[in-house]
């Protein structure tokens, strides 16, 4: 029986994850199909319940469900517990285990961005969703001493800070209101800027004006494309990185959890690059503008490994 692995999110069409995972299953002779399940929040619990059946190896969870899925699984691994967010689910019998592979994925990306420099100790994080939780947890465990979180809805950033307060008692972790002048003042004092909002994903806009970007900042955008923010930052003299490496490594870790096999990293990277070259520019599964959000359960064909990448795309 062909096993199933699903990506649950809203929206999810044309996911890049399908391109890399299906190619990996096929190359390693694992009889499994990666499917995209577009589920609105009210459909999340039912989707998770379905995963308890024998035919499923597990799932990925993406925007906007990473936090809401936490109470729906039976056990959390350490990173999932620490972040309060789940991006990968495995099954043990009928029990579901929630993991967070965004954490190791982000760490690989951060290390690469920092390169030979000394690991900085101050960061500004834009966003307070599931992705931001993996970012903040990783920064704390990396030894950052000041992290300022800005979010459109301040209460969500405050909840994030509260969640981490115990493990961050030794350092300065704070939420601040999204005002340009405050962000500018914080950027002048920081070394690292992470965009963990989805601003720039659908439209070519930046979360912050180019003028407030100081040179020599290290800028990482979780979005898997050369966003406006990254172009502005590069022009300002910053070092920049998009979300590709994080996507690859969170995917590789998830693959190993589902299959017990080491992930074929080079192949997965190649398939991600192919998908990107064919016009898919989303971060991790969002549809192109004009896509059909109602297109449920579109299976990535086991031989057509570039299917998500070759789908017609609008301006994303
Ligand atoms: P969530 O839905 O949990 O959070 C979305 C975040 O974006 C919130 O902070 C939200 O603010 C903010 N946001 C969305 N729209 C706007 C807007 N119009 N104006 C201001 N703020 C906005 O999503 P995730 O945290 O899971 O994902 C966030 C981004 O990171 C996505 O683009 C995702 O694809 C990417 N990502 C990439 C990964 C990778 O491997 N490369 C891994 C994880 C995430 P508010 O709370 O105020 O609504």
């Amino acid at each position: 029986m062909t096993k199933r692995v699903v990506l649950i999110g809203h929206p999810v069409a044309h996911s890049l994850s399908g391109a890399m995972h299906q190619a990996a299953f096929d190359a390693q002779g694992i009889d499994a199909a990666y499917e995209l399940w577009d589920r609105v929040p009210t459909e999340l619990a039912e989707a998770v319940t379905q995963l308890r059946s024998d035919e499923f190896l597990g799932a990925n969870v993406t925007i906007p469900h990473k936090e809401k899925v936490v109470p729906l699984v039976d056990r959390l691994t350490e990173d999932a517990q620490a972040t309060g967010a789940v991006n990968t689910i495995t099954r043990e019998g009928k029990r579901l285990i929630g993991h967070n592979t965004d954490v190791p994925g982000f760490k690989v990306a951060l290390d690469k961005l920092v390169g030979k420099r000394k690991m900085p100790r101050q960061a500004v994080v834009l966003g307070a969703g599931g992705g931001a939780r993996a970012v903040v947890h990783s920064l704390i465990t990396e030894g950052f001493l000041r992290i300022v979180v800005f979010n459109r809805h301040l209460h969500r950033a405050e909840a994030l800070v509260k969640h981490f307060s115990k493990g961050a008692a030794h350092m300065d972790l704070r939420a601040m209101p999204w005002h340009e002048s405050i962000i500018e003042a914080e950027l002048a004092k920081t070394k690292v800027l992470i965009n963990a909002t989805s601003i720039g994903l659908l439209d070519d806009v930046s979360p912050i004006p180019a003028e407030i970007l100081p040179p020599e900042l290290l800028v990482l955008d979780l979005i898997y494309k050369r966003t406006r923010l990254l172009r502005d930052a590069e022009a300002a003299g910053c070092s920049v990185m998009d979300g590709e490496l994080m996507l690859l490594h969170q995917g590789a870790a998830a693959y190993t959890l589902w299959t017990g096999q080491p992930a074929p990293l080079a192949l997965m990277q190649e398939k991600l690059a192919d998908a990107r070259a064919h016009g898919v520019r989303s971060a991790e599964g969002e549809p192109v503008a004009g896509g059909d959000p109602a297109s449920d359960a579109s299976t990535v064909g086991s031989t057509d490994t570039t299917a998500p990448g070759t789908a017609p795309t609008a301006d994303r």
Side-chain angles (χ1 to χ4, degrees):
M1 177 181 63
T2 302
K3 295 284 189 183
R4 302 167 74 185
V5 179
V6 300
L7 171 66
I8 306 172
H10 180 67
V12 293
H14 315 315
S15 163
L16 296 187
S17 294
M20 64 175 170
H21 285 307
Q22 194 62 57
F25 291 145
D26 295 347
Q28 295 195 332
I30 294 168
D31 185 13
Y34 193 91
E35 303 171 19
L36 310 180
W37 283 9
D38 189 316
R39 298 291 185 272
V40 296
T42 51
E43 298 169 323
L44 178 64
E46 168 57 24
V48 172
T49 299
Q50 283 186 48
L51 302 177
R52 297 179 190 278
S53 140
D54 282 351
E55 63 197 289
F56 291 93
L57 286 182
N60 277 141
V61 181
T62 189
I63 182 172
H65 301 316
K66 285 178 181 175
E67 291 156 87
K68 293 197 181 73
V69 80
V70 166
L72 303 177
V73 298
D74 303 297
R75 184 166 69 78
L76 297 174
T77 58
E78 209 177 307
D79 281 342
Q81 179 84 49
T83 52
V86 163
N87 81 323
T88 300
I89 296 175
T90 54
R91 193 174 54 77
E92 287 176 4
K94 298 242 172 290
R95 285 166 55 81
L96 298 179
I97 318 300
H99 309 254
N100 193 314
T101 69
D102 283 340
V103 171
F106 173 76
K107 282 185 175 167
V108 173
L110 180 68
D111 281 347
K112 176 96 185 198
L113 177 63
V114 172
K116 291 197 166 68
R117 303 173 188 90
K118 192 166 172 279
M119 182 60 76
R121 296 288 171 234
Q122 303 90 17
V124 165
V125 177
L126 305 178
R133 282 173 172 251
V135 167
V136 169
H137 174 63
S138 303
L139 294 174
I140 294 171
T141 55
E142 276 293 339
F144 276 63
L145 295 173
R146 181 175 162 86
I147 304 170
V148 183
V149 181
F150 291 95
N151 199 51
R152 170 178 58 178
H153 295 104
L154 179 60
H155 66 87
R156 200 172 179 192
E158 288 171 340
L160 182 154
V161 167
K162 191 167 173 224
H163 176 87
F164 288 106
S165 58
K166 212 168 153 196
H170 64 289
M171 44 97 56
D172 187 4
L173 171 64
R174 60 177 67 192
M176 284 193 178
W178 190 294
H179 290 307
E180 258 167 50
S181 58
I182 307 179
I183 298 176
E184 181 174 16
E186 284 302 323
L187 287 180
K189 291 190 266 184
T190 202
K191 297 276 185 286
V192 174
L193 169 64
I194 311 290
N195 179 34
T197 73
S198 39
I199 304 171
L201 182 64
L202 295 171
D203 304 307
D204 191 29
V205 292
S206 174
I208 52 173
E211 308 79 70
I212 68 171
L213 285 162
E216 293 173 22
L217 203 60
L218 305 179
V219 182
L220 176 49
D221 196 330
L222 267 47
I223 296 173
Y224 177 55
K225 70 174 185 182
R226 205 171 128 73
T227 55
R228 177 75 166 266
L229 170 65
L230 294 181
R231 297 196 317 270
D232 288 348
E234 211 164 31
C238 308
S239 300
V240 303
M241 178 178 281
D242 69 24
E244 174 179 353
L245 202 60
M246 178 172 174
L247 183 69
L248 174 68
H249 284 271
Q250 65 76 28
Y255 182 89
T256 298
L257 289 168
W258 298 322
T259 65
Q261 303 292 323
L265 209 59
L267 173 71
M268 291 169 80
Q269 188 157 28
E270 183 196 323
K271 292 299 171 186
L272 274 182
D274 279 357
R276 198 173 186 179
H278 283 88
V280 173
R281 289 179 283 141
S282 85
E284 47 161 11
E286 294 75 8
V288 296
D292 177 9
S295 62
D296 274 356
S298 45
T299 303
V300 179
S302 61
T303 50
D304 182 8
T305 55
T306 57
T310 51
T313 59
D315 185 27
R316 284 195 50 217

